Amino acid sequence: MFLGQTQIMSNAGPLPISCQIEAKDLKGAIKKFPEAVQQAIEEAKRSQQPYELEHRIARPDGMEITVHQQGKLLLDNAGKPQTLLGTIQDITERKGAEEALRESEEKYHALFKSSRDAVYIDTREGELIEANQAFLDLFGYNRHELNELKIQDIYVNPDDRPIFRQEIERREFVKDYELKF
């Protein structure tokens, strides 16, 4: 029976641990897996499909990590489990990065939404993707009207739009740039 407890590292991070558990060790090995994994394996046996899930485990040193586990239960002709093939990969860093990104997006959205400055997001072509309430209040539009509006529609001189766009592309930002709306 192989239930690896080591990690193989690469430049890309931890590599999956592969395991193959033979019939004589299968029942005892499955009992050592967390309940969610046991249920996934049981469902894989019933459906004769591979299983895949993410769950938390405690490493031998006591540290909890999040892993992605997938496998396939091979059955004999009588439908009895013969071998469990699978991989377990530590995805703790990835999950942490996903959580940090989610939190950052929430902060950005809250700042965007609550800013007293008129803030908008548009495409290169000037299609409005999103605008905050201060933008709507300043220019007198409602959310429904944004779908029909191109940003150059609110310029006093629509020819200013390409010049403004070039300035953003050249400097990657604008500050104290005067436009007439």
Side-chain angles (χ1 to χ4, degrees):
M1 174 170 80
F2 174 73
L3 289 174
Q5 294 185 357
T6 60
Q7 286 186 345
I8 302 168
M9 297 300 289
S10 75
N11 290 338
L15 296 174
I17 297 170
S18 297
C19 64
Q20 178 173 331
I21 305 170
E22 300 299 330
K24 65 181 177 61
D25 300 317
L26 198 53
K27 200 170 205 172
I30 291 174
K31 285 182 182 177
K32 292 180 182 178
F33 286 133
E35 187 175 328
V37 177
Q38 292 179 39
Q39 290 172 353
I41 293 171
E42 197 54 44
E43 174 60 24
K45 179 181 174 186
R46 190 189 61 68
S47 67
Q48 296 185 14
Q49 295 293 316
Y51 71 92
E52 181 174 2
L53 74 156
E54 293 178 359
H55 61 97
R56 296 190 57 78
I57 62 171
R59 292 188 339 187
D61 64 5
M63 182 177 166
E64 276 203 9
I65 61 172
T66 303
V67 296
H68 173 261
Q69 183 170 341
Q70 60 186 10
K72 180 160 179 64
L73 193 59
L74 304 178
L75 308 175
D76 64 14
N77 291 338
K80 186 176 173 187
Q82 285 303 121
T83 304
L84 176 64
L85 300 173
T87 62
I88 302 171
Q89 184 171 18
D90 182 350
I91 59 168
T92 306
E93 281 186 34
R94 186 190 87 203
K95 294 303 265 185
E98 288 172 357
E99 178 63 18
L101 178 60
R102 186 190 60 73
E103 288 173 4
S104 176
E105 287 173 345
E106 285 176 3
K107 287 177 188 175
Y108 165 79
H109 188 69
L111 179 64
F112 178 90
K113 195 174 178 180
S114 65
S115 176
R116 291 182 181 181
D117 293 327
V119 181
Y120 66 92
I121 301 171
D122 68 332
T123 66
R124 285 183 92 92
E125 295 75 32
E127 294 175 30
L128 281 167
I129 296 170
E130 189 172 358
N132 69 354
Q133 190 61 47
F135 178 95
L136 298 175
D137 294 342
L138 178 65
F139 295 108
Y141 292 102
N142 63 45
R143 294 230 172 261
H144 177 71
E145 291 170 316
L146 285 181
N147 297 332
E148 321 274 316
L149 187 68
K150 287 200 174 249
I151 194 65
Q152 50 266 39
D153 295 340
I154 66 170
Y155 283 65
V156 170
N157 180 2
D159 293 335
D160 287 343
R161 169 72 182 163
I163 297 166
F164 180 61
R165 183 90 230 152
Q166 287 173 348
E167 186 68 11
I168 291 173
E169 289 174 0
R170 186 174 69 81
R171 301 173 104 200
E172 297 182 2
F173 69 95
V174 291
K175 181 177 179 182
D176 300 329
Y177 191 90
E178 195 169 313
L179 285 170
K180 291 185 182 179
F181 295 99

